[in-house]
Amino acid sequence: MRQPIRILGIDPGLRRTGWGVIDVEGNRLIYVACGSVASDDKAALADRLVALHTGLMRVVDEFRPAEAAVEQTFVNKGASATLKLGQARGVAMLVPARAGIAVAEYAPNLVKKAIVGAGHCEKEQIRLMLRVLLPKADPLTHDAADALAIAVTHAHHRQSALLKLKVAAAR
């Protein structure tokens, strides 16, 4: 019998970064844990990024994922907000990468399509489908639910995502 593959999904955000951990055994998805790492919105940007880094390091150290997936950045209303989200996303990618974990990226619409079947949906629809896909999961925040959705998306697309990462590394 093959060993389950542990996947960490990360939904980056400067205020709150969601994380979700699942195991994949063949076609079976198994909920492990989820939550979010928060930063103090009154703190300096560098301190907020350190808080996200420290929190995600704890998650990686505790759950020891084999693979990770992060949601790609979409453009916000303002350039400043987009830049700050990009910095939080950099931390979200750096933590697993520094631990030697391959990191895949998925567009928000692909995540929605993988979970709900349509590229545009409400957050509550994602939570409803997660209850079907991962019955034991009960994410307390939208960030944690989104992170689980990213992990599930990676479980469905991981073979092609890993092949892309290997091709890119060979260049």
Side-chain angles (χ1 to χ4, degrees):
M1 186 163 192
R2 290 181 18 200
Q3 193 76 352
I5 297 160
R6 181 152 290 174
I7 297 172
L8 169 63
I10 303 173
D11 179 37
L14 187 56
R15 185 175 297 133
R16 242 186 343 267
T17 290
W19 59 269
V21 180
I22 63 170
D23 285 342
V24 180
E25 263 182 18
N27 291 332
R28 201 172 124 201
L29 303 175
I30 304 157
Y31 169 74
V32 177
C34 68
S36 59
V37 177
S39 72
D40 179 359
D41 57 356
K42 292 176 179 50
L45 178 60
D47 294 333
R48 295 178 76 182
L49 295 172
V50 168
L52 297 178
H53 181 273
T54 301
L56 287 174
M57 285 294 297
R58 282 190 203 118
V59 172
V60 168
D61 289 345
E62 181 176 350
F63 295 103
R64 303 275 182 212
E67 298 171 14
V70 177
E71 189 172 67
Q72 289 176 338
T73 302
F74 60 92
V75 178
N76 284 315
K77 292 176 186 169
S80 176
T82 300
L83 183 60
K84 288 177 182 176
L85 176 59
Q87 291 168 325
R89 189 171 170 278
V91 170
M93 294 180 72
L94 174 70
V95 169
R98 288 287 312 234
I101 300 165
V103 181
E105 301 172 62
Y106 296 98
N109 285 348
L110 179 63
V111 174
K112 292 172 183 174
K113 190 170 187 174
I115 302 303
V116 178
H120 300 283
C121 66
E122 299 297 318
K123 289 196 178 283
E124 195 53 42
Q125 289 175 286
I126 291 172
R127 290 174 80 101
L128 287 170
M129 281 306 298
L130 283 173
R131 288 186 194 117
V132 173
L133 296 169
L134 302 167
K136 293 183 179 179
D138 187 21
L140 300 179
T141 66
H142 286 306
D143 304 296
D146 288 350
L148 283 172
I150 293 161
V152 170
T153 300
H154 182 65
H156 293 307
H157 293 272
R158 62 183 291 277
Q159 293 303 330
S160 60
L162 292 175
L163 181 61
K164 285 179 192 174
L165 290 172
K166 287 179 184 176
V167 169
R171 289 185 188 162

